[in-house]
Amino acid sequence: MQQVFSTEPFIRDSYALSWDNYGYYLHLPAALIYHDPGIENKNWLDSLNKKYQPGRTFYQCYAGQKNRLVNTYPVGLAICNLPFFLGGHLAAKISGYSADGLSPPYQWAMIFSALCFAILGMFFFRKLLLRFFDDVVTTALLLLIAFGTNLFYYATYDCCLPHIFLFAIDCGILLLTISWHREQKRSTALFLGLLIGLATITRPSEIVWIIIPLFWNIVGWKSFIDKMKLLLKNFSHALLFVSGMIAVGSLQLFYWKYTSGNWFSYGHQEGFDFLHPFTLKVLFSYKKGWLLYTPVMALAILGFYYLYKNQRQLFFVFTLFSLVNLWVISSWECWWYAGTFGQRPFVQSYGLMAIPLGYFFIAWNKILWKKITVKFILLFFVLLNIFQTGQINAGILDTCRMTEKYYWKIFGRTTMNKDWMELLESDHYNPLPPLATCINKYNAKVVLQEDFENFKNDGSFHVLDSTGNRGKCIQLDAGHEFAITFRKPYNELTKQEYLRVELSADIFATDEFFQKPAYFAFMMNGKRGVSYGYTSVAIDTAIVKPGKWCHFSAEYFTPYILHESDELVVQLWDANHARLLVDNEKIILYEPKEK
């Protein structure tokens, strides 16, 4: 008789493997339990989602070739988790839990995996610090990074994301880089390439870590020439390094080829906007500013001055890496990186950032007043980090919608008043209450109103003189898919964080319309030429009365605006060429009043 266990509250209520974590992890059960890496059989996936992801939108995959799904998330984290997954699978089989890939043994196995990598990362981190500092400074830096930064949060509360794993991998990259430059060994070069390859297929932006071995010890033209001579002398090492990167990186390429039919496939809604990075917001904003929520890193940045004075041969490579890393992180369109504590993409680079922080600490430890000052500051930063981590766990500090007013309202608080939530940014991931129930909170502005009686047609529209006992209107058909399209830069419409948009029109439908509905379409056009926040609302044919005019409307809630100059686009779209008539097109913007 199979033994039955109750699900632990921690697993039942939160699920370690949900949201993005679920995407990173899904490679393992797909390949090893269901033998279906392309998820061609949707039954097992639907069963898992229904049982373990109730009410959560399945966004982790997109359509590929031959009825396969392509996982949006790369395979690297699954490789790191593989031994622990196998242990969880064995535990599920012998303990009576469902060996389905998501029952509690698998959840706990992934948490244990993160714990082991956190310990491994701190082990590598200590070895790295001892290459530069004595035991006292090393111990101080270990404590500062472990408890004074958001690494603590990602090693404990949100541990199944890739950052704590990458922290260990990237500390390993630094150690191997140092080792190879001290004593050239083929095995070191190979392992260095393997680690950079693994980091890259865990988060592709980690390719920036190739800067570390390539530019190590370069301070000028002479040192650059010396580095080239060293690489030519050890050309076989360079080949092993590249081979290691390719060997690991090809796992992702082969996965894409199998599931999508292409060697490279991309499924994220967001992308990189390298020409318009969000650097100031990433560093200083109340929403998710790195230096606001992890202020100890401000001292690490000041430490680059002391790094230059003490380790000039490392100043260039550390500075180059930090600037490129900041640029890449800041260029991601979802620059706040969803619901997390602080700027999570910086966590994996804390091993590197601790080195200039250590030299800052040493420099300020030589004079008594500086020594006392910096110790009080660092103690405050550590306590603040732990306290704010607790605020997140208590639901006080919001992980996505922070504002300046709300930040200072909850600062130092252990309880919160629900009324304070009015100070947060609007929740763009959940529907707003109906306009009729809160119309007094908005200022309405009509930005388009056209009855087509005195319409100046430039040839883009098919204007009819009279239909259905009324005056002029326009006809939408195969040659004229859109009614009047409204498009305007967002910053010319409002200075508020969002708008509610209402599009309405009178519609006279032909018989074709009942088989081919039309749509109200809304979107934002970004600087990369890519639309985001796209929403289409089908006109309900069930309430259309043949031979009569009917009035329809639809509402749009703008997404989080990436750039103030992004363009709002509103359209009535005859997508299926159903031949319908349109009159009295109207667009109203509802701008929220000041809080």
Side-chain angles (χ1 to χ4, degrees), residues 4-16:
V4 178
F5 294 86
S6 62
T7 304
E8 295 88 339
F10 175 75
I11 297 297
R12 182 185 68 242
D13 297 338
S14 65
Y15 286 109

Side-chain angles (χ1 to χ4, degrees), residues 22-23 25-41 44-45 48 61 69 71 85 100-101 255:
Y22 183 38
Y25 170 78
L26 192 57
H27 293 285
L28 291 171
L32 300 178
I33 295 179
Y34 302 100
H35 311 294
D36 187 15
I39 315 180
E40 295 175 68
N41 176 9
W44 67 263
L45 178 65
L48 286 183
C61 296
L69 293 182
N71 194 324
F85 169 82
D100 59 7
Y255 171 78

Side-chain angles (χ1 to χ4, degrees), residues 495-566:
K495 294 182 179 179
Q496 298 297 328
E497 58 162 309
Y498 76 93
L499 288 170
R500 297 178 77 159
V501 184
E502 183 182 48
L503 170 60
S504 63
D506 294 338
I507 292 176
F508 187 93
T510 63
D511 291 339
E512 298 173 59
F513 177 70
F514 293 92
Q515 288 78 40
K516 302 176 180 180
Y519 300 88
F520 292 107
F522 310 84
M523 71 194 80
M524 296 297 304
N525 280 340
K527 282 185 174 292
R528 292 189 303 117
V530 177
S531 298
Y532 63 95
Y534 178 83
T535 299
S536 64
V537 181
I539 298 172
D540 188 358
T541 57
I543 62 173
V544 174
K545 297 178 181 179
K548 293 185 178 181
W549 286 90
C550 298
H551 185 76
F552 295 91
S553 66
E555 186 186 324
Y556 178 60
F557 176 33
T558 56
Y560 187 89
I561 304 303
L562 301 179
H563 298 277
E564 293 179 354
S565 59
D566 287 352

Side-chain angles (χ1 to χ4, degrees), residues 278-341:
F278 304 89
T279 307
L280 293 179
K281 292 180 179 179
V282 165
L283 292 176
F284 303 113
S285 70
Y286 281 90
K287 182 179 178 71
K288 203 66 71 76
W290 182 40
L291 299 183
L292 177 68
Y293 293 100
T294 310
V296 71
M297 283 296 118
L299 301 183
I301 293 172
L302 293 176
F304 273 78
Y305 169 75
Y306 301 102
L307 177 69
Y308 177 78
K309 296 183 69 174
N310 290 275
Q311 293 280 355
R312 190 165 300 186
Q313 75 278 13
L314 298 184
F315 175 78
F316 173 74
V317 64
F318 277 31
T319 301
L320 177 63
F321 170 85
S322 299
L323 291 175
V324 173
N325 192 44
L326 173 61
W327 177 50
V328 171
I329 290 171
S330 301
S331 295
W332 186 247
E333 286 185 313
C334 183
W335 59 266
W336 60 98
Y337 291 88
T340 53
F341 179 34

Side-chain angles (χ1 to χ4, degrees), residues 42-55:
K42 309 301 185 294
N43 292 333
W44 67 263
L45 178 65
D46 292 341
S47 178
L48 286 183
N49 290 343
K50 183 177 180 180
K51 184 176 181 180
Y52 297 101
Q53 309 286 321

